[in-house]
Amino acid sequence: MRWWDIDPVLELEKDLFPEDTWSRGMFWSELAHARGPEATRRYVVAELPAPDGPDGPDGAAGGGRIVGYGGLVATGEQGDVQTIAVARDHWGSGLGARLLTELLRAATAFECTEVMLECRVDNLRAQRLYERFGFEPIGFRRGYYQPGNVDALVMRLADPASAGPASPATPATPVNGVEGTETHG
């Protein structure tokens, strides 16, 4: 994810998480820690090609619609999935698995030995995705998602380097090969 992705990511964020949307400042702060030798974050977006081809009409890279994004923070040997989202019209396409795969690759590059995440207790679709990758529930955070006061299920993955989807329901396509999308950070 780059700074010019923030506005389209915010549009998707507001659609998917209307009660607890991240602010523009939160994304800027995360991206400030995602570059350079001291980087502790990795943020990626999945973008459809622009209507005129892989580049926008002015020839600049990108220019397509962002249909997903995700972010991870690494602190010592622990990674934490901060956010992951897929546009509703791409649910069930395998894009969530591709984004999670990219975040787990980043965790491995950061030399994380475990990855944690929080997931809304009412988001069963996301919980199934995480379980397919080997995440296990380890607890709850009461009232974590505000202002709706929704609990979070805390999940842990012990070895991100060996994780991957364990279900044939996830398309067996390369990370940058899901039909019509490209993942970049």
Side-chain angles (χ1 to χ4, degrees):
M1 182 184 300
R2 304 296 178 126
W3 66 265
W4 54 83
D5 295 322
I6 291 176
D7 283 341
V9 163
L10 280 172
E11 288 178 35
L12 190 53
E13 176 89 0
K14 288 174 187 171
D15 177 51
L16 297 170
F17 311 113
E19 289 189 1
D20 50 8
T21 300
W22 280 26
S23 69
R24 178 176 280 103
M26 290 171 74
F27 280 107
W28 272 104
S29 178
E30 290 297 297
L31 290 181
H33 298 283
R35 299 283 182 250
E38 302 298 317
T40 58
R41 278 120 168 118
R42 172 81 170 134
Y43 278 78
V44 295
V45 298
E47 184 175 31
L48 292 175
D52 322 49
D55 297 326
D58 61 359
R65 180 177 145 235
I66 290 180
V67 292
Y69 59 92
L72 175 117
V73 62
T75 307
E77 294 183 348
Q78 183 174 315
D80 195 321
V81 175
Q82 298 291 294
T83 186
I84 189 166
V86 173
R88 294 176 198 278
D89 61 338
H90 280 72
W91 287 0
S93 70
L95 184 54
R98 287 187 50 231
L99 289 165
L100 186 55
T101 297
E102 282 296 312
L103 297 180
L104 295 178
R105 285 182 181 173
T108 301
F110 282 127
E111 299 180 353
C112 297
T113 58
E114 70 176 1
V115 175
M116 308 287 288
L117 60 80
E118 292 87 18
C119 179
R120 289 176 62 109
V121 294
D122 58 359
N123 190 343
L124 300 179
R125 175 186 297 271
Q127 290 174 36
R128 285 192 303 268
L129 170 67
Y130 302 139
E131 288 169 355
R132 285 198 327 260
F133 275 77
F135 281 86
E136 297 178 342
I138 61 167
F140 294 93
R141 293 188 187 203
R142 303 285 177 212
Y144 183 79
Y145 293 99
Q146 295 297 328
N149 202 36
V150 177
D151 295 343
L153 175 65
V154 180
M155 302 182 83
R156 178 181 176 268
L157 176 65
D159 184 10
S162 64
S167 167
T170 302
T173 55
V175 170
N176 288 327
V178 166
E179 184 90 18
T181 59
E182 194 170 312
T183 306
H184 62 86

